[in-house]
Amino acid sequence: MIRYTFNTILLICTAGLLGTATPLMAQVGFPPPPPKVSPAAGVIDMHVHPDPDVFGRSLTDIELAMIAKRKGMLGFVIKNHVVTTADRAALVMQQVPGIEVWGGIVLNKSVGGVNPSAVEWMHRMSGGRGKVVWLPTFDSDKHIKTLVDKNKSGLVVTANGNVTPEMEEVLKIIARENLILATGHVSAEEIMVVVKRAKELGVNNILITHGLTNIPGLSMEQAKQVAAMGAKIEICYLQFMTGPDAQYKWMTHWEKVDANTVAKAVKEIGAEHLVLSTDLGQQGMMTPPDGVENEIAAVKAAGVSQSDIDTMMKKNPAKLLGLKQ
């Protein structure tokens, strides 16, 4: 049994108060101390899923904005698979000043599918926060055939090597209003056609939604081709945690894309053509700002430079959103 004299105890306590007792304070089994400045500072997360929603979410729009602001993030984009989010983004900014929030529309069946009228009304929403047009996600033919039933069909945006008439009209609106075309869950083959036509129509901002996962399933060569056309390839932190050994069953259906994939993409495609986001917000998962911090740590450990990280998480999102840099 160890016995301490009064003077020894006093010395230990004094050292702790003065911050000199590092060996005593650095105990095994505790999380690290908070950084003076969060690695997430200045980041724009282009892909988050807060509540309210039809799926279980961990944080509301307001709660997410408060955490993102506390960590110094510049902003985030609210995505919802069934409703528009431009109005929600405007309300969040009223309630949590000092954080930039954007919204958009996903062209699933709940808004009429590939519906030009829905896009027109979305971008006109007061507040001017409607910026992103995602192509169909869980209603897309690619998603349904990959994750639901290969014999069933869903929404398509191309036919016979050309975009559909509805897709053509949507692209014209995106070009006219300088919105962001995000490709959702359509197939790699559809993406190649859509991106080509989008550029012909004058669309300046194109983001290939989690492009290197099984949905859409872009090959590295296809990713290089769309990047050469001006598109940016999104890689999401959620996919770092998917695959057969994932935490939740719904995550096991998605192929794992990790920090090594990011490092490879930086070498082969270039950081100037990539965007790192989180795709987080699901019930039971970490918050999106925590995901940003973890994603940065993971890609750094894989050998990606801070300069390239800043390009993928700050500069490229800002350029897509039309912010001055």
Side-chain angles (χ1 to χ4, degrees), residues 130 149 181 251 312:
D149 187 335
L181 166 65
M251 297 168 65
M312 295 184 287

Side-chain angles (χ1 to χ4, degrees), residues 92-165:
V92 173
M93 288 185 63
Q94 291 176 16
Q95 296 299 310
V96 188
I99 186 83
E100 296 278 351
V101 186
W102 297 267
I105 187 170
V106 180
L107 299 181
N108 281 325
K109 291 180 180 180
S110 59
V111 299
V114 185
N115 181 0
S117 293
V119 177
E120 286 281 21
W121 291 119
M122 183 280 295
H123 80 77
R124 297 182 190 180
M125 181 60 64
S126 59
R129 308 311 295 181
K131 191 67 177 176
V132 186
V133 179
W134 289 273
L135 301 188
T137 55
F138 60 65
D139 284 331
S140 75
D141 193 63
K142 171 66 174 179
H143 184 106
I144 289 172
K145 283 183 167 55
T146 303
L147 298 186
V148 181
D149 187 335
K150 65 181 181 180
N151 296 313
K152 292 185 177 181
S153 299
L155 298 174
V156 296
V157 295
T158 67
N160 302 316
N162 297 301
V163 299
T164 62

Side-chain angles (χ1 to χ4, degrees), residues 226-271:
V226 292
M229 287 188 271
K232 293 188 175 10
I233 315 297
E234 179 188 47
I235 302 176
C236 301
Y237 185 61
L238 175 63
Q239 276 72 52
F240 286 33
M241 300 176 282
T242 55
D245 300 320
Q247 179 180 1
Y248 298 113
K249 186 175 180 180
W250 64 265
M251 297 168 65
T252 62
H253 304 292
W254 292 84
E255 289 181 2
K256 186 173 183 177
V257 172
D258 59 17
N260 291 325
T261 308
V262 175
K264 181 180 179 182
V266 168
K267 290 179 180 178
E268 296 196 20
I269 304 173

Side-chain angles (χ1 to χ4, degrees), residues 10 13 82 152 181 209 225 237 242 293:
L10 181 61
C13 292
V82 295
K152 292 185 177 181
L181 166 65
T209 309
Q225 290 177 32
Y237 185 61
T242 55
E293 293 178 335

